[in-house]
Structure formats: C-alpha cells, structure tokens
Amino acid sequence: DDDETEEVPRYGDRVDHFVFGLCDVMTVREERMKIRAASGGKLREIHLGAMKVLKPIVEDGRRVFKLVKKG
C-alpha cells in the first residue's frame, strides 16, 4: 500500500484508530503501543503487527498516524 509507512508513532504523536478514534500515544515498546483517547479515558494497549500504519499528517503541530486493520 502506497500510504503505509515504516515509521512508528512515538510519545507525543496521535493515532487515528479504526475503533477508538483519535488517541494520544503514551508509550511504544517494540510492537506494542499504549494509547489514550484524546478526550480522556482509559489507557489501552494495541499491537501494531495487527494493523497498517499510514503516513502521518500534521494537525495542530502534532503528527497523526491513521491506523487501519490488516486484511
């Protein structure tokens, strides 16, 4: 896919998750990432191997990576 990136989101970035919506990246370790909804809420752990990470756009000075389900 042309829009897929090898870059990995890091602390301070945001992700647009296909289920959880816009989330702040809290930690990234290997293939695991902890995210929290931008509006607040509980910390969730996701596995990056289960999704495609698309090239980021910049919104309000922060990188936002769109995450889509593989397959």
Side-chain angles (χ1 to χ4, degrees):
D1 199 29
D2 288 349
D3 291 341
E4 202 167 352
T5 183
E6 294 297 315
E7 255 184 301
V8 175
R10 59 182 185 257
Y11 177 79
D13 290 335
R14 284 192 160 163
V15 294
D16 184 1
H17 189 275
F18 52 92
V19 173
F20 307 128
L22 191 63
C23 296
D24 294 320
V25 176
M26 307 308 285
T27 62
V28 181
R29 287 206 178 90
E30 296 165 17
E31 288 281 302
R32 300 188 184 281
M33 178 186 304
K34 290 191 179 178
I35 59 175
R36 176 174 285 140
S39 58
K42 69 182 196 179
L43 202 59
R44 301 177 186 273
E45 185 171 276
I46 59 174
H47 194 276
L48 289 173
M51 56 198 78
K52 290 182 187 178
V53 180
L54 304 185
K55 291 178 184 164
I57 58 169
V58 176
E59 283 183 359
D60 299 326
R62 297 171 91 171
R63 297 188 311 165
V64 180
F65 293 82
K66 187 166 180 72
L67 304 178
V68 295
K69 197 185 293 190
K70 280 187 178 174

